Amino acid sequence: MDTNRILAELRAERDRIDQAISALQAINSIGRRRAGRPVKTAAIRGRRGRMSAAARRKLSRLLKQRWAQGRMRPTAKLRQANAPKRARRMSKAARSKIAAAQRARWARVKAQQQTPKKVA
């Protein structure tokens, strides 16, 4: 037997045993929870910071004041960006040019349909 091959097999066996040991240690330390899922702490599940009624009243008063002073109104750039764009109109000359080109296309198609196809 080749010693290099024996060493490779032993190393592979050692790696499998190490993985099994670490898996058993993980189960032992976290109970029967599925591996890979984060543990939910009390801080995450706990109550979030809520605004008091007085703070809400103060914020409401300040926002109303800002609206009244015009600070909350959209700027001219924003109004211009959000404004509906003017409809683009086609000139009569352009429309007649397009219509003439389309009539010419249809005339060519009809001419091709009326000529009998030659069978070879």
Side-chain angles (χ1 to χ4, degrees):
M1 261 195 176
D2 186 20
T3 55
N4 290 332
R5 193 174 62 148
I6 293 171
L7 284 172
E9 288 176 7
L10 287 173
R11 286 185 184 122
E13 185 68 25
R14 181 189 62 194
D15 293 340
R16 282 195 297 273
I17 291 171
D18 286 342
Q19 286 178 348
I21 289 171
S22 62
L24 286 172
Q25 286 174 341
I27 289 173
N28 215 11
S29 65
I30 58 175
R32 294 186 173 251
R33 192 181 62 79
R34 282 193 290 173
R37 298 189 76 186
V39 178
K40 290 188 176 182
T41 61
I44 293 173
R45 281 186 266 144
R47 178 182 156 170
R48 291 184 180 195
R50 291 192 175 91
M51 197 180 297
S52 68
R56 275 197 306 274
R57 279 193 301 271
K58 183 179 178 182
L59 186 61
S60 172
R61 185 174 39 82
L62 288 172
L63 283 172
K64 286 175 186 175
Q65 190 178 15
R66 286 186 188 126
W67 273 103
Q69 291 172 353
R71 285 193 227 156
M72 299 289 279
R73 307 231 189 285
T75 61
K77 273 188 176 179
L78 279 175
R79 276 191 300 250
Q80 189 177 18
N82 293 336
K85 295 190 178 180
R86 211 176 101 223
R88 296 177 66 182
R89 304 278 182 210
M90 191 182 300
S91 68
K92 288 191 177 189
R95 179 137 172 73
S96 62
K97 192 185 281 187
I98 290 171
Q102 189 64 30
R103 280 194 295 273
R105 280 190 214 105
W106 277 112
R108 281 196 304 270
V109 168
K110 286 182 182 177
Q112 286 176 353
Q113 288 175 351
Q114 288 178 356
T115 59
K117 293 183 181 178
K118 294 180 182 178
V119 179

